[in-house]
């Protein structure tokens, strides 16, 4: 079996691998974190610890899932707030974890209602022996508006509370950001100005995932009613990647240390987060669905990827895709690429024909007898929708052509991708 | 033991049916739909399942096929829709029958009433035989506004659905439910009434605007060597007896079945399900030329039946039957407690005023020389399956409507 060093340094702390449990029910107590460490996770961000005076009172049921065809958990909606266990029990768990797993990284997630809370919580978790602090500025379903994403969308408060944490502790600290905001850069800048050492993102996206059509109420139904609350899982990955990309290209933030979160469940997801600038990775929903064991394939797959890429240090991959992501106005619009249909692979389903007619440019003709499609080059715009819908990969990218009157050499044009060229 | 005979395999759940439907490629001009003899439109109902519209799926099935829940279970899909399925180009065809069963089970549980009777046009049709062809023609005619009487010589309706296909493949409550749907729509059933003896054809022709003969091949074929032998039973008698008794019958330990079609497979598997220790099926064809469907054959083999191919029965003395190989010099003698003959069924046209050759009327189409009399189902030209009986039932109704109403809409 392949074995490569997945070690990486983040905010001055060494992680044996970048995979961490994000703060949530998956790391709610000592036993859970211990099992996760035993199964190979590099770190845990312990379930968010709040101040003694803020009483947590949860609803039941508290989850919902978005499905598609036979696929469960396309996205996941939750109504949970922060840790329910008593403060002292949580602190004792942190101490015991660090004692029994000295080489694993224990990160304390905290959330206060005012400056004093933040200072005090930072002090307490530092005394308990945590390696790092994460500030939860982003839970979208807190019962107090002085907490969670209502704070995270207010840069002035973000800066003030970050400074407070820094007064209570000298541990490295990351601020966890909410995606329920048009532009994350001002909030992230405010966090850094307040003293944060890095950013963790994203927390869940405010959502209504499904409605009960008879009762006319969103799910989950909490004694007849429901609330907007946080959405996570695979469906939010594109949103998370977008925020991370934008943070890393904002002026002055090109080296921003990021812990990436949002819909990670395979090694490929993990690589995407790393290539856009995440140094460590955090996971919840996929663990809730499949258990801690998923880390095995994420680690092993990442090792194989590094091997294929000839990379020995994970840090060499961090953020290197950002240079290839440009504003839409800067892309090359001088050519188009036609689809190429392989009639030997084609099984005659006609999906390309339907999609090109109903969703593109009526550029595929259909032979009723042989059940084979052909491309009409005079109509094709090169969108490659047909390519994406073909269930057997019979359509790939074919001839490239410069648009009339445009300069350029078709040989130099690069559109190759595993997904489109098969 | 009877438990095993009455137990149907479990079907899909909402989750597993969604997974199966997600495998469907949602083809353009879908080959499966084109290959369904009855026009049940699988591509359309699978798409409805895919987009979570189970009620819409049920409508598609029911409006196209009055026996949708039955076809879901007994269709030889490997010869029809699933043979054409594009998904075979990737791996295995979509389990169209299984999806159809899920949808029709849902329809039944939800108590959906999909079919609607047409506004009366004052015309009356008599249907002779309550098998699938008779039932489908009744449905289509009722939808068009005709009054329909069905005459059945047996005590229960359904033809081979009730008296042939075993309970574990087609539970009788499904058959009853489908028939009730049709009587609810307005068909009147006259049971224990044989046409040609209890009522004459002339009488029927006088009383109705048209008569449809859907009498099927309801009698077993015999071989002279087995005439007057004790311990010999025909396949259809055996299957009817077991189904009627819900499997509460006692059979001896050692039974020989003669025949290699689907009926022989049903008999052999039924015997096994009843707990018979030694079931030996002697088949005329060699394996390469087998007539039974692959699905049925596989089920029979799984049940533990001994199948011997290539042998013809020669004679029977006492309880010993002698078989000879058709092609090589070989002979087999088997002492059996009982012999069941599954060598085919034949049509009885006594008093019906038609003739058949090799189980079919000698012409293509439905109208006989007597313009008032039509044929449908197994005795009409075409495949001898339930789904074809449905097709022929729809087509004969359309043809009658064209003749009597000149294709006019009745509204
Ligand atoms: C054991 C067995 C298993 C089968 N399995 C399958 C299967 O899995 N899948 C499949 O597709 N097909 C199967 N078939 C074939 C299928 O059952 C027939 O193709 C189908 O039943 C034909 O329908 P029908 O309406 O033409 O005739 P039938 O089903 O034969 O019905 C004819 C009806 O007419 C009645 N009748 C006859 N004469 C008179 C009269 N003079 N007066 C009043 N009533 C009369 C009979 O009593 C009977 O009820 C099977 C057949 C058998 C015997
Ligand atoms: C290819 C594409 C082009 C679109 N163009 C427009 C547009 O021109 N104007 C617009 O208001 N929305 C546009 N949209 C957004 C859609 O109208 C719609 O709001 C969005 O895709 C979300 O709906 P959906 O999840 O059903 O796709 C476009 C969407 C797609 C996929
Ligand atoms: S590339 Fe777009 S326009 Fe061209 S054939 Fe395919 S779907 Fe149609
Ligand atoms: S989508 Fe692919 S398999 Fe289907 S017809 Fe088009 S090229 Fe052939
Ligand atoms: S042919 Fe097969 S894959 Fe295509 S629509 Fe029919 S069931 Fe689906």
């Amino acid at each position: 079996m392949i074995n490569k060093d997945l070690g990486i340094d983040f905010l001055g702390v060494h992680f044996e691998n970048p995979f961490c449990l994000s703060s949530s029910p998956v790391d709610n107590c000592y036993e859970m974190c211990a099992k996760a460490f035993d199964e190979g996770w590099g770190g845990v961000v312990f379930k968010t610890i709040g101040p003694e005076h803020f009483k947590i009172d949860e609803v039941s049921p508290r989850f919902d899932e978005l499905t598609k065809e036979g696929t469960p958990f396309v996205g996941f909606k939750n109504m949970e707030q922060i840790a329910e266990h008593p403060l002292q029990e949580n602190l004792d768990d942190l101490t015991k974890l660090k004692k029994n797993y000295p080489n694993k990284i224990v990160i304390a997630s905290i959330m206060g209602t005012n400056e004093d809370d933040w200072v005090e919580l930072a002090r307490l978790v530092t005394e308990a022996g945590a390696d790092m602090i994460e500030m939860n500025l982003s839970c979208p379903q807190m019962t107090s508006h002085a907490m969670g994403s209502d704070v995270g969308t207010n840069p002035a408060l973000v800066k003030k509370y970050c400074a407070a944490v820094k007064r209570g502790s000298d541990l490295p600290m990351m601020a966890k950001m909410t995606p329920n905001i048009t532009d994350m850069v001002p909030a992230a800048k405010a966090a850094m100005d307040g003293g944060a050492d890095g950013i963790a993102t994203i927390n869940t996206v405010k959502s209504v995932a499904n409605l009960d059509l008879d009762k006319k109420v969103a799910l989950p139904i909490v004694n007849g009613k429901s609330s907007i609350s946080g959405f996570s899982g695979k469906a939010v990955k594109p949103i998370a990647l977008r925020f991370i990309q934008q943070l890393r290209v904002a002026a002055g933030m090109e080296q921003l240390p990021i812990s990436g979160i949002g819909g990670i469940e395979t090694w490929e997801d993990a690589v995407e987060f790393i290539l856009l600038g995440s140094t460590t990775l955090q996971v919840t929903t996929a663990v809730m669905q499949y258990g801690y064991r998923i880390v095995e394939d994420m680690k092993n797959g990442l090792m194989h990827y590094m091997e294929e890429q000839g990379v020995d240090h994970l840090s060499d991959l961090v953020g290197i895709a950002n240079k290839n992501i440009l504003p839409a106005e800067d892309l090359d619009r001088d050519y188009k690429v036609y689809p190429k249909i392989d009639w030997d692979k084609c099984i005659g389903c006609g999906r390309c024909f339907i999609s090109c007619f109903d969703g593109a440019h009526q550029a595929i003709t259909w032979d009723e007898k042989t059940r084979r499609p052909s491309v009409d080059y005079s109509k094709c715009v090169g969108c490659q929708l047909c390519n994406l819908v073909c269930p057997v990969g019979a359509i790939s990218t074919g001839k490239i052509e410069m648009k009339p009157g445009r300069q350029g050499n078709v040989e130099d044009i690069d559109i190759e991708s595993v997904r489109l060229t098969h | 033991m009877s438990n095993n005979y009455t137990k149907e395999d479990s079907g899909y759940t909402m989750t597993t049916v969604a997974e199966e439907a997600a495998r469907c490629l949602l083809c353009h001009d879908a080959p499966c739909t084109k290959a369904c003899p009855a026009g049940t439109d699988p591509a359309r109902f699978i798409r409805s399942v895919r987009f979570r519209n189970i009620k819409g799926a049920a409508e598609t099935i029911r409006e196209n096929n009055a026996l949708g829940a039955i076809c879901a279970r007994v269709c030889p899909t490997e010869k029809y829709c699933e043979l054409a399925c594009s998904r075979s180009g990737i791996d295995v065809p979509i389990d169209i029958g299984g999806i159809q069963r899920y949808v029709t089970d849902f329809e039944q549980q939800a108590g959906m009433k999909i079919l609607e009777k047409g506004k009366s046009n004052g015309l009356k049709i008599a249907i002779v035989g309550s098998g699938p062809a008779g039932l489908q023609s009744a449905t289509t005619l009722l939808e068009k506004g005709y009054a329909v009487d069905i005459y059945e010589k047996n005590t229960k309706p359904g033809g081979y659905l009730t008296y042939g296909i075993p309970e574990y493949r087609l539970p009788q409550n499904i058959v009853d439910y489908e028939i009730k749907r049709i009587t609810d729509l307005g068909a009147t059933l006259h049971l224990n009434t044989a046409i040609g003896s209890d009522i004459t054809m002339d009488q029927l022709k006088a009383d109705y605007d048209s008569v449809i003969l859907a009498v099927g091949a309801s009698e077993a074929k015999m071989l002279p060597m087995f005439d007057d032998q004790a311990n010999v039973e025909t396949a259809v008698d055996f299957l009817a007896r077991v189904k009627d008794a819900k499997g509460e019958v006692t059979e001896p330990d050692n039974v020989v079945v003669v025949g290699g079609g689907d009926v022989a497979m049903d008999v052999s598997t039924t015997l096994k399900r009843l707990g018979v220790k030694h079931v030996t099926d002697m088949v005329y064809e060699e394996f390469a030329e087998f007539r039974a469907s692959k699905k049925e054959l596989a089920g029979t083999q799984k049940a533990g039946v001994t199948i011997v191919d290539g042998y013809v029965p020669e004679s029977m003395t006492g309880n010993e039957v002698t078989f000879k190989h058709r092609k090589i010099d070989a002979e087999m003698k088997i002492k059996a407690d009982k012999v069941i003959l599954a060598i085919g069924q034949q049509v009885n046209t006594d008093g019906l005023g038609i003739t058949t050759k090799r189980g079919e009327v000698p012409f293509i189409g439905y109208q006989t020389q007597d313009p008032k009399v039509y044929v449908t189902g197994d005795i009409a030209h075409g495949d001898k399956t339930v789904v074809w009986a449905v097709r022929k039932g729809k087509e004969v109704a359309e043809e009658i409507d064209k003749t009597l109403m000149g294709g006019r809409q009745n509204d």
Side-chain angles (χ1 to χ4, degrees):
Chain A
M1 210 205 291
I2 190 168
N3 197 7
K4 281 186 91 79
D5 182 9
L6 294 180
I8 197 158
D9 293 336
F10 181 59
L11 312 186
V13 176
H14 183 74
F15 288 72
E16 67 175 45
N17 67 62
F19 296 104
C20 303
L21 297 175
S22 64
S23 181
S24 77
V26 301
D27 48 12
N28 212 357
C29 63
Y30 174 84
E31 288 73 19
M32 296 175 88
C33 298
K35 181 174 178 227
F37 284 151
D38 291 341
E39 295 193 18
W41 292 81
V44 298
V45 186
F46 201 84
K47 176 75 181 167
T48 302
I49 300 171
E52 191 91 79
H53 64 81
F54 183 75
K55 291 288 167 259
I56 291 297
D57 193 6
E58 298 287 16
V59 297
S60 165
R62 61 182 75 159
F63 301 133
D64 185 26
E65 63 165 343
L66 183 70
T67 62
K68 184 165 160 48
E69 290 123 29
T71 309
F73 272 71
V74 170
F76 181 72
K77 180 183 191 278
N78 88 86
M79 291 284 306
E80 267 199 20
Q81 304 188 71
I82 59 178
E84 282 183 280
H85 299 158
L87 177 60
Q88 193 54 49
E89 186 181 320
N90 289 326
L91 295 171
D92 291 347
D93 280 355
L94 293 178
T95 308
K96 194 164 148 201
L97 275 174
K98 199 57 212 176
K99 177 163 159 276
N100 293 344
Y101 293 92
N103 297 323
K104 301 283 186 175
I105 303 306
V106 177
I107 302 167
S109 170
I110 58 173
M111 181 194 280
T113 62
N114 56 40
E115 276 187 281
D116 290 348
D117 283 349
W118 285 106
V119 176
E120 178 63 6
L121 287 167
R123 192 181 64 75
L124 290 171
V125 300
T126 309
E127 277 175 17
D131 293 301
M132 196 182 280
I133 293 175
E134 181 177 278
M135 290 175 64
N136 181 342
L137 299 163
S138 43
C139 175
Q141 57 255 2
M142 296 304 296
T143 51
S144 159
H145 296 285
M147 301 172 94
S149 61
D150 288 338
V151 175
T153 49
N154 179 337
L157 274 182
V158 168
K159 182 172 170 186
K160 188 161 85 172
Y161 291 158
C162 286
V165 167
K166 277 295 175 181
R167 286 202 296 281
S169 167
D170 53 6
L171 288 178
M173 182 273 278
M174 50 184 166
K176 185 169 179 180
M177 299 275 111
T178 174
N180 299 298
I181 191 169
T182 314
D183 181 1
M184 198 180 281
V185 173
K189 276 212 163 114
M192 301 303 280
D193 289 347
D197 302 291
I199 295 295
T201 202
I202 61 175
N203 204 318
T204 53
V205 180
K206 285 188 183 180
S207 70
V208 173
N210 298 288
L211 268 72
D212 182 294
L213 302 185
D214 294 326
K215 297 188 175 163
K216 296 155 188 83
V217 53
L219 297 175
I221 303 175
V222 178
N223 191 14
K225 304 289 180 206
S226 191
S227 288
I228 285 175
S229 73
F231 198 60
S232 60
K234 200 80 171 191
V236 308
K237 185 187 81 168
I239 299 171
L241 291 175
R242 164 249 166 166
F243 276 118
I244 290 170
Q245 205 278 330
Q246 284 184 320
L247 288 178
R248 286 280 289 209
V249 296
M253 308 232 281
E254 294 82 357
Q255 297 304 316
L256 181 71
I258 295 176
S259 186
I261 318 164
I264 300 173
E265 63 180 47
T266 67
W267 66 270
E268 290 171 312
D269 300 328
V271 171
E272 290 169 340
F273 277 79
I274 293 169
L275 292 175
L276 290 178
S278 308
T279 305
T280 59
L281 307 162
Q282 302 185 24
V283 183
T284 282
T285 304
V287 171
M288 292 184 77
Q289 189 185 5
Y290 299 114
Y292 301 128
R293 60 196 171 155
I294 60 170
V295 76
E296 294 165 15
D297 286 300
M298 293 201 289
K299 289 197 313 188
N300 184 264
L302 181 55
M303 288 177 194
H304 282 289
Y305 176 74
M306 289 169 68
E307 187 71 14
E308 285 158 26
Q309 299 288 315
V311 166
D312 285 330
H313 305 287
L314 198 52
S315 54
D316 293 347
L317 293 171
V318 175
I320 61 174
N322 281 317
K323 63 176 188 298
N324 297 322
I325 297 180
L326 305 180
E329 61 270 27
D330 295 341
L331 293 177
D332 182 353
R333 290 166 189 273
D334 291 336
Y335 72 92
K336 61 179 170 180
V337 53
Y338 296 111
K340 184 172 73 193
I341 303 180
D342 180 343
W343 281 359
D344 290 333
K345 276 195 192 167
C346 172
I347 57 170
C349 72
R351 288 287 296 273
C352 55
F353 170 66
I354 294 181
S355 285
C356 184
F357 198 99
D358 298 0
H361 299 268
Q362 303 79 51
I364 289 183
T365 49
W366 179 249
D367 188 319
E368 297 268 330
K369 290 227 168 53
T370 62
R371 297 192 65 86
R372 286 294 178 272
S374 323
V375 180
D376 177 348
Y377 292 105
S378 68
K379 289 186 176 167
C380 175
V381 301
C383 68
Q384 300 290 331
L385 175 63
C386 51
N387 185 329
L388 289 172
V389 298
C390 176
V392 294
I395 305 186
S396 56
T397 48
K399 193 174 64 154
I400 300 177
E401 196 176 86
M402 299 311 291
K403 289 182 185 165
R406 307 290 177 87
Q407 300 301 309
N409 184 357
V410 293
E411 314 280 278
D412 299 336
I413 287 173
D414 172 18
I415 45 113
E416 297 289 299
S417 148
V418 194
R419 179 65 188 91
L420 279 181
T421 50
H422 304 292
Chain B
M1 288 310 161
S2 62
N3 220 5
N4 203 8
Y5 171 73
T6 48
K7 192 167 145 253
E8 191 186 20
D9 295 342
S10 54
Y12 286 118
T13 63
M14 185 61 224
T15 306
T16 53
V17 81
E19 282 169 1
E20 188 59 15
R23 289 178 61 239
C24 168
L25 304 170
L26 307 181
C27 295
H28 167 67
D29 189 21
C32 56
T33 283
K34 293 203 281 192
C36 174
T40 313
D41 204 351
R44 189 177 180 91
F45 74 70
I46 296 170
R47 177 148 47 89
S48 295
V49 171
R50 165 81 166 260
F51 294 112
R52 299 183 57 81
N53 178 17
I54 312 293
K55 287 190 176 170
E59 287 169 348
T60 297
I61 295 170
R62 188 56 63 194
E63 281 166 7
N64 291 319
N65 185 336
L67 304 176
I70 293 170
C71 284
R73 291 168 164 82
V74 306
C75 240
T77 47
E78 63 180 43
K79 290 204 289 186
Y80 302 130
C81 54
E82 292 179 20
L83 178 65
C85 176
S86 305
R87 180 82 208 194
S88 308
I90 299 178
D91 42 35
V92 290
I94 304 303
D95 176 14
I96 297 173
I99 296 177
Q100 184 168 331
R101 177 175 155 195
Y102 178 86
V103 173
T104 51
D105 283 354
F106 171 93
E107 174 197 24
Q108 181 175 344
Q109 278 147 23
M112 289 179 75
K113 280 207 167 43
I114 296 167
L115 298 177
E116 280 174 43
K117 192 177 174 165
K119 188 169 160 260
S120 170
N121 60 9
L123 299 172
K124 276 193 334 190
I125 313 293
I127 298 173
V128 184
S130 64
L135 292 170
Q136 177 65 56
S137 20
T139 306
T140 308
L141 289 166
L142 288 162
E143 287 177 306
K144 290 179 177 299
Y146 293 83
V148 173
D149 283 322
I150 304 176
Y151 293 91
E152 169 56 55
K153 70 175 179 192
N154 261 317
T155 49
K156 287 193 212 162
Y160 280 137
L161 306 176
T162 297
Y163 287 106
I165 305 177
E167 180 80 17
Y168 58 86
R169 288 208 291 125
L170 180 61
Q172 189 59 32
N173 67 12
I174 297 291
V175 179
D176 294 344
Y177 198 83
E178 301 271 88
I179 293 176
K180 183 170 181 299
R181 223 185 264 290
I182 297 166
T183 49
D184 284 353
L185 197 63
T188 309
L189 267 171
H190 304 270
L191 300 173
N192 301 308
T193 314
I195 303 303
S197 47
D198 296 332
I199 300 178
T200 63
M201 274 302 277
D202 286 341
Q203 188 65 51
L204 274 196
K205 285 195 280 182
D207 292 348
Y208 293 89
D209 295 290
S210 292
V211 177
I212 302 177
L213 300 176
V215 295
S218 57
E219 288 182 1
K221 282 190 190 153
M222 268 304 253
L223 291 174
M225 78 187 89
F226 295 112
D227 281 345
D228 310 320
Q229 294 277 6
N231 301 329
V232 173
E233 191 174 14
T234 65
V236 289
D237 285 348
F238 167 77
L239 290 169
R241 185 166 58 80
V242 177
K243 197 161 188 187
D244 210 31
K246 294 258 174 239
E248 300 292 339
V249 295
T250 320
E251 297 299 317
D253 276 348
N254 170 11
V255 181
V256 165
V257 180
V258 181
D262 285 332
V263 175
M265 299 301 126
D266 276 343
V267 170
S268 305
T269 309
T270 296
L271 286 165
K272 272 292 176 191
R273 287 196 175 229
L274 292 172
V276 173
K277 280 209 192 82
H278 309 285
V279 180
T280 313
D281 182 18
M282 302 296 292
V283 183
Y284 176 89
E285 291 84 9
E286 293 189 288
F287 270 116
E289 42 182 19
F290 240 53
R291 283 178 300 128
S293 75
K294 287 197 198 86
K295 199 153 73 184
E296 290 267 301
L297 174 60
T300 308
Q301 285 170 323
K302 206 172 134 205
V305 173
T306 304
I307 304 178
V308 182
D309 63 327
Y311 280 85
V312 218
E314 277 283 307
S315 60
M316 184 169 181
T317 2
N319 62 353
E320 187 179 88
V321 195
T322 306
F323 293 88
K324 279 230 162 77
H325 197 280
R326 269 167 62 220
K327 294 181 181 157
I328 58 176
D329 187 10
E331 191 182 271
M332 255 180 96
K333 289 183 188 297
I334 305 180
K335 283 207 177 81
D337 298 333
K338 179 166 190 171
V339 176
I340 298 181
L341 288 182
I343 53 170
Q345 286 70 245
Q346 61 194 6
V347 189
N348 180 345
T349 55
D350 293 354
L352 300 178
I354 55 163
T355 51
T356 53
K357 254 192 222 146
R358 281 201 212 94
E360 274 185 21
V361 290
F363 58 89
I364 293 175
Y366 303 103
Q367 199 171 28
T368 64
Q369 273 170 330
D370 181 338
K372 241 188 163 175
V373 179
Y374 294 78
V375 291
T376 190
D378 272 4
I379 63 168
H381 178 74
D383 287 11
K384 316 285 176 227
T385 56
V386 176
V387 70
W388 265 83
V390 169
R391 173 205 188 117
K392 294 171 187 172
K394 282 167 46 167
E395 287 179 354
V396 74
E398 293 294 344
E399 199 166 310
I400 288 175
D401 191 48
K402 233 199 246 153
T403 310
L404 296 182
M405 299 285 293
R408 269 175 294 133
Q409 283 289 319
N410 174 45
D411 48 19

